[in-house]
Amino acid sequence: MVEQQRNRTTARARFSAALRPFFQWLAGTRGFALVAPKIVPPLDRLVNRLSGGRVLMGDQMIPHLLLTTTGSRTGQPRQSPLACMPQDDGSFLVVGSNFGRDRHPAWSGNLLKTPQATVNFRGRVTPVTATLLAGDDRERAWQALLGFWPLYQG
C-alpha cells in the first residue's frame, strides 16, 4: 500500500515536471493575463473547497496557498489563491503580481491595511502577519523568487 502511494506520488511529480514548461509559457502569454484573473481564482477556490482545503490547481506546477485577508473597505474575509515560495522558517513569500497587470491585487491592499491574515497551505490553516519587504531583504527575496518561478521577471 505504501509502495503504491509512493509510485503515484512519483508519477504525479514527473507529470507535473513535464507540463511545467508549457504552463510557464501559457502563464506568460497576454491572453492568459487577460482571461486568468476572472477564471482562475474562482475555480481555484472551488477546487480548494471541494478538496477540504488540501488542493489548489496551481499546486501541480508550483506551491500555492489560500490567503484569507480582511477586506480593506468591507471588513469581510476575502480569499485569494496565490502562488507562494515556502520558507524554511515556516513563512511564505508571495508576490502581488496580479497576473502581470499594472494594478496591485486587492489582497495586497488588504494586507497593507490589516496585516493579520490566515494561510491555508495544503490543508493546514495558520495565522500570519504580513510584512512588506524592503531594501536588501526585498532584493534577496526577489532573486530567490526569480530562481523559483522565472515568470516574475516578465
Side-chain angles (χ1 to χ4, degrees):
M1 181 77 132
V2 172
E3 186 64 31
Q4 286 177 329
Q5 181 69 24
R6 191 175 341 195
N7 289 342
R8 269 188 244 128
T9 302
T10 302
R12 206 173 305 137
R14 275 194 227 126
F15 182 72
S16 292
L19 288 179
R20 189 174 184 167
F22 169 74
F23 283 107
Q24 282 182 330
W25 167 82
L26 179 65
T29 65
R30 183 176 169 96
F32 184 83
L34 293 172
V35 175
K38 300 269 191 252
I39 296 171
V40 173
L43 191 56
D44 233 351
R45 284 189 290 268
L46 175 65
V47 168
N48 188 261
R49 190 170 42 252
L50 292 174
S51 70
R54 291 183 305 277
V55 177
L56 286 164
M57 293 182 313
D59 243 355
Q60 301 308 308
M61 298 302 120
I62 63 171
H64 278 66
L65 57 78
L66 188 64
L67 175 70
T68 303
T69 60
T70 301
S72 62
R73 286 181 278 164
T74 66
Q76 297 298 309
R78 301 289 181 219
Q79 290 188 324
S80 303
L82 305 172
C84 68
M85 184 174 165
Q87 301 297 286
D88 292 337
D89 66 0
S91 65
F92 302 91
L93 289 176
V94 294
V95 177
S97 64
N98 203 14
F99 293 94
R101 293 173 149 179
D102 293 335
R103 294 185 353 253
H104 288 275
W107 63 263
S108 66
N110 293 345
L111 286 177
L112 288 171
K113 184 172 181 185
T114 307
Q116 292 74 28
T118 60
V119 164
N120 180 335
F121 184 67
R122 297 182 178 155
R124 183 172 178 210
V125 178
T126 306
V128 295
T129 301
T131 303
L132 184 61
L133 298 178
D136 290 343
D137 290 337
R138 181 183 174 125
E139 183 57 29
R140 274 192 297 279
W142 186 246
Q143 292 307 312
L145 282 160
L146 289 178
F148 188 67
W149 190 242
L151 282 178
Y152 286 132
Q153 185 71 41

